[in-house]
Amino acid sequence: MSERIITLPLKDEEISSLKSGEKLRLSGILYTARDAAHKRLVDTIKRGEELPVHLKGQVIYYVGPTPAPPGKVIGSAGPTTSSRMDVYTVHLLKAGLKGMIGKGSRSLEVREALKEFKAVYLAAVGGAGALLSQKIVSAKVVAYEDLGPEAIRKLEVQDFPVVVINDIYGSDLYEEGKNRYKKNIKNP
Amino acid sequence: MRKISAVDIARNVAEMCCEANYILNKDITSSLEKSLEAEESQVGREVLKQLLMNAEIAKNEEIPICQDTGFALVFLELGQEAVVVGGDLEEAVNKGVKEGYLHGHLRKSIVEDPLKRVNTDSNTPAVIHYEIVPGDRLKITVAPKGGGSENMSALKMLKPAEGEEGIINFVVETVNNAGSNPCPPLIIGVGIGGNFERSAFLAKKALLRPLAKPHHNLFYGDLEKKILEQVNNLGIGPQGFGGGVTALAVHVEVYSTHIACLPVAVNINCHASRHVERIL
Ligand code: SF4
């Protein structure tokens, strides 16, 4: 399967051309955020205040890396389970977020919102944090430093491997992949 | 009474936390290699390759296999003819965990209170299980376990009449509900019997058994095979991208139970099934 090379930020035409199941290599800027950072971001939006990072057009990576060992920019840095972010996601899509990287399926609400706001959900390989860390060329905490591993970091990545799970047309790789490979199941 | 020093215990635990997080056990890499041959899905094979490469990088660079370096789970089997000197056993274990996580650059993932959720910044306290056994040694097993797969685990009190079929259905249903969340390919621990908490403990302990080593009792070895086959028929595949390798192994552990009960616990683990053993 061929891989598409994508330079971030994502352009609208690019987003419309992405299809679930496609393999991509991303280069450019990603912002990290997990549950605690999402809660703060959404609370800020609800209060009508300005966000500490400009999310318009950006991609968020759901990751809480391990501390960087001496001489490295970051430690192990694989994706965390995305469904914990579902309750916050629509607010961020409204604020202009264009992509998310995590692992595991999203709620119907999020999938509908991806179609509406023309954004995509991508997955990196969970449990490949050491490999993925090598694709990160710089990392800097840019907000909520007190959250430790959950602080928002600005990452610069090079050839970061992901797979498109949900495109803007409503397809879902998890459903399709499973349907393609399931065998005579007695209790589906 | 043989003396075992608390300082030694702490030092060993610290080293074991790092070792467990940096080095994927050989039985797992072999199983991933075998699965690579068996997997029909191309994107599934790609995932398995990435996991094997990941394990190589983690070992060579001494960085964690996965960023979720887990809750530090520690099993202690203390010989009844041994005595711990120079400190408190529980404190020694927690000191070891704290040092290991700090110096090994592992992630601190523990919050002090489940609702207030403030990080303890030391990955302590550990979850410690104690057993008193014959002999004069201390066997320590350090098994850090990530939150993503733990969250997908489940326990059910079946009716005895539901029997073997009820057990198989419950495990398959639990794996199906988990889908892509726990980073398949999985290692599945199943605890059958005992009471409510014993079944959960058995499921956890089942994860410590080396892969490719079936249950010593033929009947339960067969049950493991049957469950594995049905789980792999689900089609979830590596990372849930679709494929035949949803799980690498199913391990069952059993215990006697009450005439009214059939507890079944399913503890889901990802391929990063980390556990290191030492005997002091
Ligand atoms: S489920 Fe396992 S591999 Fe996946 S993020 Fe958690 S610890 Fe890592």
Side-chain angles (χ1 to χ4, degrees):
Chain A
M1 206 185 303
S2 64
E3 290 177 318
R4 259 174 83 176
I5 307 292
I6 303 267
T7 307
L8 299 169
L10 289 166
K11 288 153 218 68
D12 285 342
E13 323 78 78
E14 235 162 24
I15 294 176
S16 339
S17 74
L18 294 176
K19 295 276 156 53
S20 97
E22 259 185 301
K23 291 193 337 187
L24 316 177
R25 292 266 173 183
L26 308 178
S27 297
I29 301 299
L30 300 175
Y31 288 95
T32 73
R34 291 171 46 104
D35 321 35
H38 270 76
K39 185 167 189 311
R40 286 196 193 174
L41 289 171
V42 170
D43 286 346
T44 308
I45 293 174
K46 284 184 179 160
R47 285 195 305 268
E49 292 166 11
E50 202 182 324
L51 292 175
V53 284
H54 292 287
L55 291 182
K56 208 167 162 27
Q58 299 297 331
V59 177
I60 286 186
Y61 180 23
Y62 302 144
V63 59
T66 58
K72 295 215 161 55
V73 299
I74 200 164
S76 194
T80 192
T81 310
S82 308
S83 62
R84 294 197 314 271
M85 268 51 82
D86 282 349
V87 289
Y88 306 112
T89 296
V90 178
H91 295 278
L92 299 186
L93 290 171
K94 273 187 195 153
L97 184 70
K98 282 294 168 188
M100 292 153 280
I101 304 171
K103 61 158 171 122
S105 50
R106 309 306 304 259
S107 65
L108 272 183
E109 189 198 9
V110 170
R111 285 163 59 182
E112 283 305 312
L114 291 174
K115 290 198 264 177
E116 187 185 340
F117 296 102
K118 306 248 175 306
V120 285
Y121 171 54
L122 316 167
V125 171
L131 175 101
L132 292 168
S133 77
Q134 298 202 325
K135 311 290 176 194
I136 299 170
V137 292
S138 76
K140 188 174 164 235
V141 173
V142 290
Y144 310 149
E145 188 156 12
D146 61 300
L147 292 179
E150 298 208 54
I152 296 186
R153 289 169 171 79
K154 185 178 179 178
L155 306 182
E156 193 190 335
V157 299
Q158 183 78 52
D159 295 325
F160 191 88
V162 294
V163 176
V164 182
I165 302 294
N166 298 112
D167 56 30
I168 62 165
Y169 305 103
S171 300
D172 181 289
L173 176 65
Y174 294 134
E175 273 175 20
E176 284 153 20
K178 194 172 156 188
N179 286 335
R180 196 171 316 140
Y181 289 97
K182 75 176 168 200
K183 290 179 194 142
N184 56 24
I185 304 167
K186 286 185 214 134
N187 317 283
Chain B
M1 292 293 249
R2 186 167 162 267
K3 289 181 182 152
I4 301 174
S5 113
V7 176
D8 264 359
I9 295 171
R11 184 178 44 79
N12 276 284
V13 168
E15 289 168 8
M16 290 161 84
C17 288
C18 297
E19 192 183 322
N21 272 299
Y22 300 157
I23 302 168
L24 194 63
N25 290 342
K26 187 84 185 50
D27 57 327
I28 300 173
T29 49
S30 314
S31 172
L32 286 171
E33 277 158 11
K34 261 209 218 129
S35 307
L36 190 56
E37 286 165 34
E39 181 55 68
E40 10 165 5
S41 141
Q42 212 234 331
V43 61
R45 281 201 302 275
E46 175 64 28
V47 168
L48 298 170
K49 273 188 218 158
Q50 280 197 29
L51 294 179
L52 282 163
M53 267 160 64
N54 185 68
E56 268 303 301
I57 296 169
K59 188 169 75 184
N60 296 339
E61 305 272 322
E62 297 204 327
I63 69 167
I65 301 161
C66 178
Q67 75 290 337
D68 186 349
T69 49
F71 212 137
L73 172 59
V74 181
F75 294 89
L76 299 175
E77 290 177 29
L78 181 63
Q80 62 192 32
E81 289 154 57
V83 58
V84 176
V85 295
D88 174 304
L89 177 57
E90 186 171 324
E91 262 172 35
V93 170
N94 279 318
K95 187 162 178 265
V97 169
K98 185 175 175 180
E99 271 168 21
Y101 274 71
L102 209 64
H103 297 135
H105 309 285
L106 307 179
R107 197 179 79 184
K108 289 79 183 167
S109 311
I110 303 306
V111 291
E112 185 172 5
D113 179 286
L115 291 180
K116 293 175 194 145
R117 308 199 74 82
V118 178
N119 201 305
T120 61
D121 285 330
S122 59
N123 218 56
T124 61
V127 169
I128 309 173
H129 294 292
Y130 301 90
E131 243 176 282
I132 303 292
V133 297
D136 62 0
R137 305 252 147 192
L138 172 66
K139 180 166 137 191
I140 308 175
T141 307
V142 174
K145 173 105 167 40
S149 56
E150 196 74 354
N151 278 346
M152 295 297 121
S153 304
L155 192 153
K156 196 170 177 188
M157 306 302 283
L158 297 184
K159 292 185 185 70
E162 291 178 84
E164 187 183 334
E165 202 186 330
I167 293 168
I168 298 176
N169 289 351
F170 178 57
V171 182
V172 173
E173 182 191 309
T174 303
V175 174
N176 194 37
N177 291 341
S180 50
N181 290 330
C183 303
L186 309 175
I187 296 163
I188 303 166
V190 182
I192 305 172
N195 56 358
F196 186 77
E197 82 277 7
R198 175 51 69 101
S199 63
F201 180 72
L202 290 173
K204 181 73 76 194
K205 269 221 140 168
L207 296 174
L208 303 179
R209 197 202 302 159
L211 301 193
K213 189 174 169 217
H215 195 281
H216 56 86
N217 176 313
L218 267 186
F219 175 80
Y220 286 108
D222 265 357
L223 181 61
E224 290 175 343
K225 258 196 235 150
K226 275 189 222 166
I227 301 177
L228 181 64
E229 191 188 328
Q230 289 212 30
V231 159
N232 283 339
N233 281 347
L234 285 169
I236 295 170
Q239 293 294 310
F241 297 159
V245 185
T246 302
L248 301 174
V250 175
H251 291 170
V252 168
E253 292 296 331
V254 294
Y255 195 73
S256 309
T257 191
H258 187 278
I259 46 173
C261 301
L262 179 54
V264 182
V266 183
N267 199 193
I268 304 274
N269 207 355
C270 47
H271 88 286
S273 170
R274 293 153 282 191
H275 48 94
V276 175
E277 223 181 78
R278 283 190 194 176
I279 296 172
L280 303 189

